[in-house]
Amino acid sequence: MSFTSSSAGQARVWWETAGEGTPVILINGLSSPSAVWFRLVPMLAGRHQVLTFDNPGTGRTRFEGDSFSMEMLAEAAADVLHAAGGAKAHVLGMSMGGLIAQQLTLTRPELVSSLTLVSTHAGSPHMTQDQSSLEAISRAQQMSSEDRTGYLADLTYARATRAEREADLAVRAQYPTCEEGYSSQLAATMGWERLEDLRTLTCPALVLHGAQDQLVSVANARQLSEYIPRARLTVLEECGHQVFSDQPVTGAHTLLDFFAEVEAAA
């Protein structure tokens, strides 16, 4: 584990690496610390060097400044890739991390060998979603980290997921996101969109989504797969927003198969 300096609001970005092989970088969602990847990392690390980090404003990456943009968040991810050696990586972004991954792939394509978008969308102006979930995300700004995490959990897990949900909440509680960090990350997502630019992407892409996702409708995944030229859409049944908690083994195998195909074709 280490810190790397970043232009993202003068943040010192906390990151760590596990395993060896082709790099994979995992980009977290809104207010999620990198510790939430605890199930997925061991399943990928047998074949890949897995990079995880805390976004500015979350966990061990403190944010120094008044606000930040999606461009800054993407640059923080690029800084982690450079700190890890600068090799091309499989870039995976989940939820808000999917927006960061899109921005990173569009602006720094030399760092990306493939793009995976999980439980995400093409930016709030294009988001297809029930208004109540958007209101819930906004309402959570006024809550403590503990209350916010439990409140949003009702929207983010499949109905059958129980023990995994409790384990996740315990991990999140160890690395809380302050109100300012949550609000700054949320503000960075508002108005951001690069939908038409997605048509210019040339790297292979996987769009992975849960059929029961209440926070981000699966219709958003279909939109992404229509705009990205080389995208493959995979929808997992009995799965909500938290793909790697609701369906951890299936989710990991889907990733490993995709990464292997990309590397075999390179």
Side-chain angles (χ1 to χ4, degrees):
M1 62 188 69
S2 185
F3 286 90
T4 184
S5 297
S6 175
S7 57
Q10 295 78 51
R12 294 182 67 240
V13 178
W14 187 96
W15 68 283
E16 65 180 347
T17 181
E20 296 182 356
T22 310
V24 176
I25 186 168
L26 307 179
I27 307 179
N28 314 317
L30 179 66
S31 79
S32 293
S34 57
V36 299
W37 299 111
F38 69 94
R39 291 187 187 87
L40 182 59
V41 168
M43 289 190 277
L44 300 184
R47 302 186 197 175
H48 297 277
Q49 178 193 21
V50 185
L51 307 171
T52 56
F53 68 103
D54 288 347
N55 287 316
T58 291
R60 291 150 288 190
T61 299
R62 301 303 178 190
F63 173 68
E64 300 175 5
D66 297 325
S67 63
F68 43 75
S69 64
M70 194 59 61
E71 290 77 11
M72 284 180 168
L73 293 171
E75 197 57 33
D79 291 332
V80 171
L81 288 172
H82 284 301
K88 269 194 167 188
H90 298 290
V91 173
L92 182 153
M94 180 170 178
S95 199
M96 182 193 77
L99 307 187
I100 299 171
Q102 291 171 61
Q103 178 68 28
L104 175 65
T105 305
L106 287 165
T107 57
R108 305 295 295 275
E110 73 280 3
L111 297 176
V112 181
S113 58
S114 75
L115 172 65
T116 299
L117 300 174
V118 184
S119 306
T120 192
H121 55 90
S124 54
H126 305 288
M127 195 174 180
T128 301
Q129 193 57 42
D130 185 283
Q131 187 63 30
S132 62
S133 67
L134 300 178
E135 292 172 354
I137 294 171
S138 179
R139 195 177 302 122
Q141 291 185 75
Q142 312 305 321
M143 300 178 181
S144 68
S145 178
E146 181 179 0
D147 290 344
R148 180 173 59 241
T149 300
Y151 172 68
L152 292 176
D154 290 337
L155 291 174
T156 55
Y157 290 86
R159 290 182 289 273
T161 302
R162 293 287 185 270
E164 292 85 356
R165 168 176 163 158
E166 295 309 310
D168 288 0
L169 295 183
V171 169
R172 289 172 184 270
Q174 297 177 52
Y175 306 101
T177 296
C178 64
E179 180 181 332
E180 293 79 6
Y182 181 90
S183 297
S184 294
Q185 288 182 6
L186 184 59
T189 71
M190 294 295 109
W192 179 91
E193 67 89 20
R194 300 287 301 272
L195 182 62
E196 288 298 331
D197 293 337
L198 295 179
R199 298 187 188 277
T200 69
L201 293 180
T202 59
C203 66
L206 171 66
V207 180
L208 181 61
H209 216 96
Q212 293 183 12
D213 194 337
Q214 299 180 70
L215 193 66
V216 180
S217 165
V218 70
N220 294 282
R222 297 191 180 100
Q223 181 184 54
L224 286 168
S225 65
E226 290 169 1
Y227 274 77
I228 300 173
R230 300 178 64 189
R232 171 193 307 174
L233 173 62
T234 299
V235 177
L236 301 182
E237 302 299 327
E238 302 301 319
C239 185
H241 191 71
Q242 297 291 352
V243 169
F244 303 109
S245 297
D246 290 339
Q247 296 286 344
V249 175
T250 301
H253 287 170
T254 301
L255 297 181
L256 289 169
D257 289 347
F258 173 64
F259 299 155
E261 288 180 24
V262 171
E263 292 172 19

